[in-house]
Amino acid sequence: MLALNVFAAATSMAAEGDIAITMDEREIRFAGITTVRPDKEQPEIELSFPGTVVIPPQQMRIVAAPANGLVESMLAAADEPINAGEPVAQLRSMEIVEAQRQFLAALADEALAADRLRRMQQLFEGRAAPERELRTAETSAINAKAHLDERRQILALMELSEADIGALQSTRKIFPAITVHAAVSGIIVKRHVSPGERVDAAAPLYTIANLNPLWINIQVPASRLSALKTGASVVLPAYGARGRLIRLGRSVDAQTQSATAVAEIDTNGGTVRPGLATTATIRLDQGPGAQWSVPAAALIRHRDRSWVFVRTKDGFAARPVQVLAESPARTSIRADLSADDMVADRGLIALLSELAAADKG
């Protein structure tokens, strides 16, 4: 505070984005301010963050029970590859029996309505029946056919194949159990039930997924989000897998102060698996903008922005910068600097006070 009281510096706005702080040599020495030159860095940087490998939701499918019933057998195991159409479970169900009975009843009603319509057409052509009765018979036949189609669709939803429905229609023999088939090809990542369990209709039996490509949910500190862009290259160094950043989180976790960035990666021949906790390296091409390395102590934060103090002939210019990466000793920034600039790395308390005074508004 004593150092601040002896300052008689006047502050004013300098170039666009900068805030000029006027100080003479005596004031700079009294405040203990020292300066260093920034180091030029390559335009590509690597940022490493923890992440967890997950399956993209659009690549997962649930095989569900088509009706209430008892699981007689499970025909596939977890982590087993499966092809679309292969049997995965057998289910015994009174609901399926009832659906078949209603189908046979609808089949009989449709045949009766069709026969009545044929007889009514003959009577109408022989002038033995009025047109009104013919139209009534036609309506009954149409409704009976629609009801039969509805019952057929219900059986199809209950995993009865066209061959099964045809056999039921020709033999009139009801069977109490059905075989459930996989709807898609992939890997069984989870088996939800065991033989002997009773399940409700639509209860999950298996989860099947396509495991290539995968996603990795990367935990990125909120202060680093501004440096990331979708499309950036992502590497898992421990597994040799590569991918790209496809989405940046819009919300920040209140406890960890981090957001989730999602990258799509290949599995590198299956070495990367769902559930894996690993480190993801994001490679950023910083483009034409200049990238510099400065001592960590040279960076201050004010009004949710990062700043460095650049030496000028009249004192210093507080210049806003974009932080790209940080370590205990050095910080990588993108800033409008030159190799001849001198950046303050000590005595920043006095400069921060002057910046706050000049930037009240």
Side-chain angles (χ1 to χ4, degrees), residues 135-182:
R135 300 301 175 223
T136 301
E138 288 176 344
T139 301
S140 298
I142 292 173
N143 291 338
K145 179 65 168 58
H147 184 59
L148 178 61
D149 291 342
E150 176 188 349
R151 302 314 305 179
R152 188 186 301 274
Q153 289 297 322
I154 290 175
L155 290 181
L157 291 174
M158 288 184 171
E159 288 281 337
L160 272 73
S161 65
E162 289 295 332
D164 293 334
I165 297 174
L168 174 64
Q169 185 171 344
S170 60
T171 65
R172 300 298 201 272
K173 182 179 179 180
I174 295 176
F175 42 93
I178 60 167
T179 300
V180 182
H181 299 83

Side-chain angles (χ1 to χ4, degrees), residues 93-156:
S93 170
M94 288 302 298
E95 188 173 308
I96 294 173
V97 170
E98 177 62 19
Q100 294 175 80
R101 187 196 65 79
Q102 292 185 16
F103 171 78
L104 293 178
L107 188 64
D109 291 342
E110 193 272 340
L112 183 62
D115 183 65
R116 182 172 181 270
L117 176 59
R118 283 193 298 272
R119 287 188 289 106
M120 192 58 62
Q121 286 175 337
Q122 292 174 355
L123 293 173
F124 178 74
E125 291 172 358
R127 299 181 181 276
E131 183 179 357
R132 175 176 56 82
E133 293 186 7
L134 175 62
R135 300 301 175 223
T136 301
E138 288 176 344
T139 301
S140 298
I142 292 173
N143 291 338
K145 179 65 168 58
H147 184 59
L148 178 61
D149 291 342
E150 176 188 349
R151 302 314 305 179
R152 188 186 301 274
Q153 289 297 322
I154 290 175
L155 290 181

Side-chain angles (χ1 to χ4, degrees), residues 61-110:
R61 289 286 297 273
I62 296 294
V63 178
N68 302 327
L70 175 71
V71 178
E72 286 191 328
S73 62
M74 301 292 282
L75 306 178
D79 290 328
E80 179 181 340
I82 199 80
N83 294 319
E86 288 187 8
V88 293
Q90 288 183 331
L91 184 70
R92 183 175 294 271
S93 170
M94 288 302 298
E95 188 173 308
I96 294 173
V97 170
E98 177 62 19
Q100 294 175 80
R101 187 196 65 79
Q102 292 185 16
F103 171 78
L104 293 178
L107 188 64
D109 291 342
E110 193 272 340

Side-chain angles (χ1 to χ4, degrees), residues 187-209:
I187 303 296
I188 295 176
V189 295
K190 187 173 183 180
R191 196 176 79 167
H192 296 273
V193 298
S194 299
E197 290 188 33
R198 288 196 170 274
V199 294
D200 295 328
L205 302 178
Y206 293 95
T207 299
I208 300 176

Side-chain angles (χ1 to χ4, degrees), residues 323-339:
V323 177
L324 303 176
E326 282 183 303
S327 68
R330 307 287 296 183
T331 299
S332 295
I333 61 174
R334 178 186 289 175
D336 184 14
L337 297 174
S338 70

